[in-house]
Amino acid sequence: MLAIIVHGGAGTIRKEERIPKVLAGVREAVMAGWNELRNGSAVDAVEEAVKALEDNPLFNAGTGSVLTLDGKAEMDAAIVRGSTLEAGAVAGITNVRHPISVARMVMEKTDHAVLGGEGAVKFARLMGFEEYNPVTEERIKQWKELRKKLVEKGEVRHWKKLSELIKEHPEVLRSTVGAVAFDGNEVVAGTSTGGVFLKMFGRIGDTPLIGAGTYANEVAGASCTGLGEVAVRLVLAKSATDFVRLGMDARGASEAAINLATKYFGPDTMGIIMVDSKGNVGFAKNTKHMSHAYMREGMKEPEVGI
Ligand code: ASP
């Protein structure tokens, strides 16, 4: 039973007119992944689906990543193979077009699981990834507005209470992307993000931390989105796969994982997508929106939702 699900990030989309474009983006990405999955590889499927989302400036990953407090795009991405527990991630990488592909190279070409900052950029260049500027005009405009709000309202002092700030300014959370696929043999999960707006320089979120924002093993895979610090503290992607190990399917496990996030950190914090090794898909969120799309064997069209 082949299956793939993608997400375009949890949060609140304030401008209603963006929603159809976001839905078209997740649909396109799930089909890009599905085409690879039919050729037999969940790793290729996850990489292609995430690349499609990274190239779409609407989403906060690759092109269109959100900016740090000091105005830079520092991106995180990870990929995990469920059958072997091979994993690769980049944290705080700059100036590359497809962080997910660099993460895959870390998995395949190094003895390490995570490369960060300048070292990750150096490795990307070694692997032939060209210099690329992922910063868009729209993100610069949003960054200026958000920074002004923070400075004028004196909220910079409260930035350490990130979740409170996000409740007040849901636009701070911006559409990270992820994909989880099962190719009949193994589950693979991948996630890519610019992180959260105005994050401190050097801040690393849940996405590249194996088990926090991204995880897969022989029973299931998961990709998280939302306030990264929540997924880090709950080791949420791994916890979600533990629920599958204890007998739940991908759907039940997704709901249980989000219940955990709500219980400890309140609503408006997290979203998750999952696939289990029976080919079931699951998704859940405690935010207003989380764009997603999935395809399973036997379906003619993807199921798309927000
Ligand atoms: N989880 C991401 C992070 O905290 C952000 C997001 O999903 O929007 O880096």
Side-chain angles (χ1 to χ4, degrees), residues 4-8 19-36 45-59 97-98 178-179 291-295 301-305:
I4 179 165
I5 183 165
V6 304
H7 71 72
I19 291 178
K21 291 182 197 156
V22 165
L23 294 182
V26 287
R27 167 187 283 268
E28 191 193 321
V30 84
M31 290 316 291
W34 182 248
N35 289 338
E36 290 295 333
V46 165
E47 183 183 2
E48 284 311 310
V50 173
K51 273 169 72 180
L53 293 160
E54 287 176 336
D55 279 341
N56 187 330
L58 279 179
F59 299 104
R97 182 170 165 194
H98 294 127
S291 58
H292 58 274
Y294 65 88
M295 274 294 276
E301 283 291 311
E303 191 68 39
V304 179

Side-chain angles (χ1 to χ4, degrees), residues 147 161 228 269:
R147 234 172 81 121
K161 295 189 173 175
T269 48

Side-chain angles (χ1 to χ4, degrees), residues 7 15 26 62 86 100 111 135 199 264 281 306:
H7 71 72
K15 293 183 183 150
V26 287
E86 285 170 280
I100 193 71
D111 298 311
V135 179
K199 65 183 180 181
Y264 284 95
V281 300
I306 186 90

Side-chain angles (χ1 to χ4, degrees), residues 3 8-9 41 66 89 91 97 106 108 114 124 147 153 214 235 242 249 253 257 266 273 285 297:
S41 163
V66 300
R97 182 170 165 194
V106 172
E108 292 177 353
V114 189
R147 234 172 81 121
K153 291 191 180 175
T214 313
V235 201
D242 289 341
D249 64 9
I273 56 170
K285 63 178 192 305
E297 226 168 317

Side-chain angles (χ1 to χ4, degrees), residues 7-298:
H7 71 72
T12 302
I13 302 178
R14 282 211 164 149
K15 293 183 183 150
E16 291 276 314
E17 65 274 15
R18 283 174 83 95
I19 291 178
K21 291 182 197 156
V22 165
L23 294 182
V26 287
R27 167 187 283 268
E28 191 193 321
V30 84
M31 290 316 291
W34 182 248
N35 289 338
E36 290 295 333
L37 201 58
R38 281 192 311 195
N39 293 332
S41 163
V43 185
D44 292 340
V46 165
E47 183 183 2
E48 284 311 310
V50 173
K51 273 169 72 180
L53 293 160
E54 287 176 336
D55 279 341
N56 187 330
L58 279 179
F59 299 104
N60 168 25
T63 305
S65 286
V66 300
L67 306 181
T68 58
L69 201 54
D70 55 348
K72 299 203 181 90
E74 294 182 354
M75 302 171 285
D76 299 336
I79 188 160
V80 185
R81 293 188 70 150
S83 60
T84 56
L85 298 187
E86 285 170 280
V90 286
I93 196 169
T94 54
N95 296 301
V96 293
R97 182 170 165 194
H98 294 127
I100 193 71
S101 300
V102 186
R104 182 174 177 175
M105 285 291 170
V106 172
M107 174 171 80
E108 292 177 353
K109 304 281 185 199
T110 79
D111 298 311
H112 308 303
V114 189
L115 290 182
E118 276 174 31
V121 178
K122 200 166 165 182
F123 171 71
R125 301 287 176 255
L126 271 180
M127 292 294 108
F129 292 92
E130 283 168 12
E131 176 139 2
Y132 177 83
N133 178 9
V135 179
T136 60
E137 286 302 316
E138 197 194 351
R139 292 298 190 214
I140 293 175
K141 196 170 153 248
Q142 289 167 343
W143 176 77
K144 282 186 181 152
E145 284 164 11
L146 276 170
R147 234 172 81 121
K148 193 160 167 257
K149 266 192 203 170
L150 281 171
V151 174
E152 279 176 5
K153 291 191 180 175
E155 283 163 358
V156 167
R157 278 182 294 128
H158 302 299
W159 182 231
K160 61 181 188 290
K161 295 189 173 175
L162 193 56
S163 61
E164 277 171 32
L165 194 77
I166 284 168
K167 269 180 205 129
E168 214 178 310
H169 299 289
E171 64 271 34
V172 166
L173 276 187
R174 290 274 176 185
S175 53
T176 289
V177 307
V180 188
F182 177 61
D183 60 17
N185 289 311
E186 75 167 333
V187 185
V188 175
T191 317
S192 181
T193 187
V196 293
F197 246 124
L198 303 183
K199 65 183 180 181
M200 274 190 69
F201 27 84
R203 177 264 193 188
I204 290 168
D206 57 321
T207 299
L209 301 181
I210 307 304
T214 313
Y215 197 64
N217 55 25
E218 77 283 13
V219 297
S223 167
C224 300
T225 171
L227 184 53
E229 283 68 10
V230 167
V232 169
R233 287 173 182 142
L234 290 169
V235 201
L236 198 63
K238 164 71 163 62
S239 301
T241 66
D242 289 341
F243 290 131
V244 176
R245 200 182 287 288
L246 294 173
M248 291 181 184
D249 64 9
R251 191 172 154 179
S254 300
E255 278 160 16
I258 295 306
N259 286 343
L260 211 56
T262 311
K263 179 177 157 200
Y264 284 95
F265 298 99
D268 225 4
T269 48
M270 283 315 295
I272 193 168
I273 56 170
M274 294 187 75
V275 175
D276 65 37
S277 58
K278 294 196 173 99
N280 298 305
V281 300
F283 56 91
K285 63 178 192 305
N286 65 13
T287 52
K288 187 163 176 208
H289 299 127
M290 182 183 70
S291 58
H292 58 274
Y294 65 88
M295 274 294 276
R296 297 179 73 211
E297 226 168 317

